[in-house]
Amino acid sequence: MINKNNGFSFGSLLIGILYLLAGFLAIRNPLASNSFLVMLIVFTGVFDGIFEIALRNRINKFFGKKGGFLLFAGVVSIIFAGFILFNFRASVLALPIVFAIYLIVSSIFSIVRALTLKSSSRGVFWGLLIINVLGLLLGLMLIKNPLSSFMTIASILGFYFILAGIRNIIHAF
C-alpha cells in the first residue's frame, strides 16, 4: 500500500487480516469457496474468450492471417462460461469435473496456440508446452477423483489466501 507512516502500512495490515479471514473461511466452508471458484471460472472464461477474439483480430490485422482457431477458441470459452453461469448450482456441485474439463480444454487450446510460436521463440514454446502439458495432466487427475478434488480445491484456495494474508501483514511492518 502507498499510505506509509514511519514504515507502517495500515492498508496492508487490513488486507492481510482480510486474506487470513478468507483463507480460514475457505478451509472451513468448502462449498462457499467452491462457489467463489465457479464465479472466478466464469469471469476468466469470458475474459479469456474476449482476449482470444481480440488476439485473432490483431493477428489478422498485422499479419494477414485469418486465425480461425483463435476465434473458435474464444467463442467456445465464452459459451462454456455462460453454460457454467446459467447452471450455477449444478456447477458448484460438479466443480471438480467442470474445472477439470475447463483445464483440459484450455490446456489443449494453449498447446495448439504454442505451436504457432515454435518457429519464432523456442524458449517460449517449450515453456508454454511444459506448463500446458502439466495442466492437462492435472485436469485428468481431477476427473479421476472428483470428491477428493472438491475438498482439495477449497483447501488450496484457503492456503493461498492464508499465505497472501501473512505476506501482506509482513509488508505492513
Side-chain angles (χ1 to χ4, degrees):
M1 285 277 150
I2 296 174
N3 299 336
K4 291 260 184 186
N5 286 337
N6 299 328
F8 177 74
S9 173
F10 181 73
S12 289
L13 179 64
L14 182 61
I15 290 172
I17 292 170
L18 290 174
Y19 273 141
L20 283 174
L21 180 63
F24 291 123
L25 289 175
I27 291 171
R28 186 170 181 214
N29 189 351
L31 184 59
S33 61
N34 286 339
S35 297
F36 169 75
L37 280 177
V38 169
M39 285 307 298
L40 188 62
I41 290 169
V42 168
F43 287 124
T44 57
V46 169
F47 287 122
D48 184 48
I50 292 169
F51 174 76
E52 294 284 347
I53 293 169
L55 179 63
R56 177 234 179 231
N57 290 338
R58 277 185 260 152
I59 287 173
N60 190 16
K61 180 179 177 182
F62 292 117
F63 300 111
K65 295 184 179 182
K66 297 289 182 196
F69 183 76
L70 291 173
L71 178 63
F72 174 75
V75 170
V76 166
S77 189
I78 292 171
I79 290 171
F80 190 67
F83 176 76
I84 293 169
L85 181 63
F86 293 114
N87 295 301
F88 189 77
R89 186 173 293 164
S91 295
V92 170
L93 295 175
L95 177 66
I97 302 298
V98 170
F99 183 69
I101 291 170
Y102 178 79
L103 191 57
I104 290 168
V105 169
S106 176
S107 295
I108 290 170
F109 284 159
S110 294
I111 288 170
V112 172
R113 187 176 6 166
L115 292 172
T116 62
L117 298 172
K118 187 175 183 181
S119 62
S120 62
S121 178
R122 287 195 161 281
V124 172
F125 163 74
W126 282 108
L128 288 174
L129 185 65
I130 290 168
I131 288 170
N132 288 302
V133 166
L134 290 173
L136 187 61
L137 292 174
L138 179 61
L140 293 171
M141 288 171 41
L142 286 173
I143 283 180
K144 186 175 180 180
N145 192 353
L147 183 60
S148 169
S149 299
F150 189 82
M151 299 304 288
T152 302
I153 291 169
S155 298
I156 289 171
L157 179 66
F159 186 65
Y160 169 76
F161 280 137
I162 290 169
L163 288 177
I166 293 169
R167 182 190 66 228
N168 277 289
I169 290 171
I170 290 170
H171 284 179
F173 297 98

